[in-house]
């Protein structure tokens, strides 16, 4: 069973490739390496013993995409490729709509033309309306608040329209909550470019002394300690969810939407304390203003994925932080110290 993984050298895609290979799938990765490194391919081979096929290509290149589907006999696509920085999307909305929406349009067209009609799509909890009351289930009203989130919402709608026009499609829309952690080997993990936007990579860079202290955005929220609460999920649990969602596509047609979260929330202070316990270091922090657009609590109701896919998160916060820390310690500069040679096969 040959599957195409777009964005497969990225953070979540690379962990999913490992899970797919371990489950017996043959993997072709397509990535333009705009936010990832070719070194990931070597690391996947080191972990699984198998080297995935790699195409250095772009979803915006329609001809290249058609070639991929003509050359490889692809059964299904796991579609991770996209731009994901919320703040950047506010400043460069067209770049986000072009890459995330047009890119998915091109991909879906190439799939439709070659009869590949199974897709797992990376959506996000960010599609939910901030006015909903957590925990969010899949019926919670949508209302993304920024261009990045709206690209996800638009693609979700596009997938519904595609199925209505052609009922042979099977599509799974996976709404991730807050993916963190790394592969337990310490060989692959999240490798943000520049100053991290998100909490966990920021904390780990404070831990290794690359950043002086953490800014905690607000300590006056309506939560038990005043700091924001999120549903953090280990990236390997998330990867397992993708394999189950993919297998499920072989049994049904239509569009299914699933939350992938744990249903359990942790505050920023609890995350700081867990990292302090694991690293044995004090993490300097300062309370600052709330970050615009943030909500007090974001939490998944993960019951639908449990009932229909038989999936639930297994790894707890300590494991998430331990694995993140192992990756960061082993790779203080991410993949950038590794030799960069791009080879396509
Ligand atoms: P990532 O940036 O690590 O991976 C995305 C990959 O896509 C990168 O390797 C990048 O080089 C590639 N890419 C981007 N545009 C491309 C294009 N036009 N053609 C080919 N390759 C392209 O991000 P991630 O954290 O692994 O996220 C994967 C997906 O999950 C994204 O769609 C993201 O929006 C979504 N998501 C992520 C999070 C999160 O917190 N990480 C949460 C919810 C949803
Ligand atoms: C972010 C994205 C969201 C995406 C989600 C999943 C933003 C604005 N939102 O949400 O679209 O779906 O990740 O990965 O980027 N915090 C600090 N200091 C920091 C960074 C964060 O206190 O330096 C706090 C935040 O206020 C929040 C929590 O930590 O309470 C988590 O923040 P973050 O990791 O950025 O994730 P989200 O805001 O949930």
């Amino acid at each position: 069973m040959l599957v195409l993984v777009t964005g497969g050298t990225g953070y979540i895609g690379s962990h999913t490739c490992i899970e797919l290979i371990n489950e017996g799938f043959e993997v072709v990765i397509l990535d333009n390496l705009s936010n990832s490194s070719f070194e990931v391919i070597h690391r996947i081979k080191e972990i699984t013993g198998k080297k995935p096929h790699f195409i250095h290509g772009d979803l915006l290149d329609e001809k290249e995409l058609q070639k991929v589907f003509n050359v490889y006999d692809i059964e299904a696509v796991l579609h991770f490729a996209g731009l994901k920085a919320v703040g950047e999307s506010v400043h460069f909305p067209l770049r986000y709509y072009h890459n995330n929406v047009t890119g998915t349009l091109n991909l879906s067209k190439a799939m439709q033309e070659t009869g590949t009609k199974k897709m797992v799509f990376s959506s996000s909890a960010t599609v939910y309306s901030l006015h909903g009351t957590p925990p969010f289930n899949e019926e919670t009203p949508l209302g993304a608040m920024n261009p990045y989130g709206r690209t996800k919402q638009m693609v979700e709608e596009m997938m519904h329209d595609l199925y209505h026009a052609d009922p042979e499609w099977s599509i799974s829309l996976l709404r991730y909550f807050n993916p963190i952690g790394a592969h337990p080997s310490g060989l692959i993990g999240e490798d943000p470019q520049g100053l991290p936007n998100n909490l966990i990579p920021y904390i780990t860079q404070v831990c290794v002394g690359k950043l002086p202290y953490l800014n905690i955005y607000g300590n006056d929220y309506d939560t038990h300690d005043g700091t924001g609460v999120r549903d953090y999920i280990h990236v390997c649990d998330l990867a397992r969810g993708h394999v189950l969602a993919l297998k499920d596509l072989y049994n049904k047609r239509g569009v299914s939407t699933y939350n992938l979260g744990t249903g359990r929330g942790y505050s920023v202070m609890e995350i700081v304390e867990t990292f302090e316990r694991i690293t044995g270091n004090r993490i300097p922090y300062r309370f600052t203003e709330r970050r615009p657009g943030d909500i007090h609590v974001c939490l998944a109701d993960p019951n639908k994925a449990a009932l229909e896919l038989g999936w639930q998160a297994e790894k707890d916060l300590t494991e998430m932080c331990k694995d993140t820390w192992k990756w960061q310690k082993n790779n203080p500069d991410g993949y950038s110290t590794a030799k960069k040679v791009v080879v396509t096969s």
Side-chain angles (χ1 to χ4, degrees), residues 180 274-275 278 317-326:
I180 64 168
T274 309
F275 267 100
I278 283 164
L317 184 66
T318 301
E319 227 169 332
M320 296 185 217
C321 296
K322 264 191 182 160
D323 289 341
T324 305
W325 182 231
K326 186 171 179 187

Side-chain angles (χ1 to χ4, degrees), residues 18 22 26 32 42 48 50 54 80 106-107 130 140 168 170 185 187 199 213 243 300 303 305 315 322 328:
I18 289 168
N22 287 342
E26 197 180 342
N32 64 7
H42 299 306
T48 64
K50 290 204 177 117
F54 178 72
F80 296 92
N106 291 345
L107 175 67
L130 297 186
T140 298
E168 283 187 3
S170 325
S185 62
L187 285 168
L199 179 65
Y213 57 87
V243 176
N303 284 322
K315 293 173 183 269
K322 264 191 182 160
Q328 177 73 49

